[in-house]
Amino acid sequence: MSKKSLIIEQAALLFAEQAIETTSIEHITKQCGISKGAFYLHFKSKDDLILQIFDHFFKDITARFTVIETSASSPKQKLHAYVVTFFVMLEEKLPFISMYIRQQRTPNEALFDLFTYYNKLIDHATKQLLVAVYGQQLEGRTLDTLVTFKGLMRGYSEHILWHRTAYDYNKLATTIVERLSLIVAQSATPFLQDDALTLAPCEEITVEVISEEITLQLKNYPPQSLIYETLSILQQELQQAKPRKAIIHGMLATIQTEHDLQWLIFLLNNGKLH
């Protein structure tokens, strides 16, 4: 684990236990066994740290969705796993999220922009999954089905947030997928309409965004390693006027099982590469 990841994870735990206002940077550095100087190498302030915690959470969930997306399961099995993973993640992050809500902290502009960015990314990936599951049934109503699905997820999330007990998330996933399937099969009057089932690459994921992530990841691998060489080839290919899909897919196959690169894989699978 990198020093930055260590700080993020330990700070999230301390904030959940002691609240944000009463947790000082000194508490965090002591918990991590680092100096204040080391803290400020990675974060400008406590507010910047909170922003990075949420960024870490979002990257974590999209990375886990990537593992599902690239698995050999059927589309419907992937949708079930997607729902389970979402609620498992919610359970893991609930102490920090509950504390944040209890303190009634108002998201600043940077945090609002972060939420907006990741919401667009996750919506794009979710629509692709829904199209894979329901196919021609979604003709003209992919967006409407996405909103319905998110409504089911949000409703149960709020219930879990305010009614704490042990939940069977496999059963919950079965319930949500079953109800969504009934709605898709029976609904004839979508409120929101769209044009086609074929979705364009996500506009939010540009070549520059992907290249920046590769540059960050190159620092985590020794230059003589296979992963470093693979990332370097990917970086070079992305600098071409028209990156070759065969090269990118070949390099993806090499890093597919690398846990720390799942966020990068998500970007490559969903990004606009030219």
Side-chain angles (χ1 to χ4, degrees):
M1 182 184 296
S2 69
K3 193 167 289 185
K4 183 176 181 179
S5 296
L6 173 66
I7 296 169
I8 286 172
E9 295 200 0
Q10 292 302 314
L13 291 173
L14 287 172
F15 288 151
E17 293 170 1
Q18 304 176 19
I20 292 172
E21 304 304 333
T22 56
T23 302
S24 67
I25 289 174
E26 186 176 356
H27 287 142
I28 297 168
T29 55
K30 186 176 180 181
Q31 179 75 11
C32 297
I34 61 172
S35 66
K36 281 189 178 181
F39 175 91
Y40 285 111
L41 281 174
H42 299 286
F43 308 98
K44 298 174 185 176
S45 63
K46 193 193 289 187
D47 283 339
D48 182 42
L49 172 58
I50 293 168
L51 184 71
Q52 296 288 342
I53 288 173
F54 278 109
D55 184 71
H56 178 76
F57 285 178
F58 282 123
K59 283 182 178 175
D60 192 9
I61 194 167
T62 50
R64 295 194 198 190
F65 287 164
T66 299
V67 174
I68 296 168
E69 180 186 19
T70 56
S71 72
S73 303
S74 70
K76 202 155 192 176
Q77 288 172 329
K78 289 180 183 180
L79 184 60
H80 184 279
Y82 180 107
V83 176
V84 172
T85 299
F86 173 85
F87 284 103
V88 168
M89 286 283 294
L90 179 66
E91 187 77 36
E92 289 176 7
K93 312 306 181 186
L94 206 52
F96 178 82
I97 295 170
S98 298
M99 174 278 306
Y100 194 88
I101 293 172
R102 284 198 308 271
Q103 291 200 0
Q104 297 181 326
R105 292 179 64 89
T106 303
N108 57 31
E109 186 175 348
L111 193 52
F112 180 79
D113 289 344
L114 188 76
F115 288 162
T116 302
Y117 173 73
Y118 281 107
N119 186 60
K120 288 179 180 178
L121 263 58
I122 293 172
D123 276 0
H124 184 271
T126 306
K127 280 193 287 186
Q128 288 184 315
L129 178 56
L130 292 173
V131 168
V133 174
Y134 298 109
Q136 292 299 320
Q137 287 182 286
L138 293 194
E139 187 72 57
R141 52 188 176 135
T142 307
L143 179 58
D144 202 74
T145 304
L146 171 68
V147 172
T148 301
F149 178 61
K150 290 174 68 176
L152 289 169
M153 299 283 278
R154 186 175 296 113
Y156 281 107
S157 297
E158 290 176 359
H159 178 84
I160 290 168
L161 182 63
W162 298 114
H163 301 86
R164 300 299 302 125
T165 187
Y167 292 98
D168 182 343
Y169 293 132
N170 269 300
K171 183 178 180 181
L172 176 55
T174 299
T175 298
I176 289 175
V177 174
E178 180 185 85
R179 289 181 182 173
L180 182 65
S181 297
L182 286 171
I183 292 169
V184 170
Q186 299 298 323
S187 178
T189 53
F191 177 66
L192 302 170
Q193 295 188 346
D194 44 50
D195 296 328
L197 295 176
T198 303
L199 302 173
C202 184
E203 294 288 336
E204 302 297 317
I205 307 175
T206 62
V207 169
E208 290 73 24
V209 169
I210 299 171
S211 293
E212 183 179 341
E213 178 64 20
I214 292 175
T215 299
L216 289 173
Q217 291 297 339
L218 280 168
K219 298 175 183 177
N220 298 326
Y221 295 91
Q224 68 274 19
S225 67
L226 176 62
I227 299 297
Y228 186 95
E229 184 178 347
T230 302
L231 293 176
S232 298
I233 294 171
L234 273 171
Q235 188 76 292
Q236 292 167 16
E237 191 61 31
L238 290 174
Q239 291 170 4
Q240 303 300 317
K242 199 168 184 179
R244 292 167 293 179
K245 290 182 180 180
I247 299 295
I248 292 172
H249 283 287
M251 297 303 100
L252 272 171
T254 302
I255 64 174
Q256 200 72 58
T257 58
E258 192 73 11
H259 174 76
D260 293 334
L261 296 179
Q262 293 304 311
W263 168 243
L264 173 60
I265 293 169
F266 174 86
L267 295 178
L268 286 163
N269 281 333
N270 293 278
K272 185 177 181 182
L273 299 179
H274 56 79

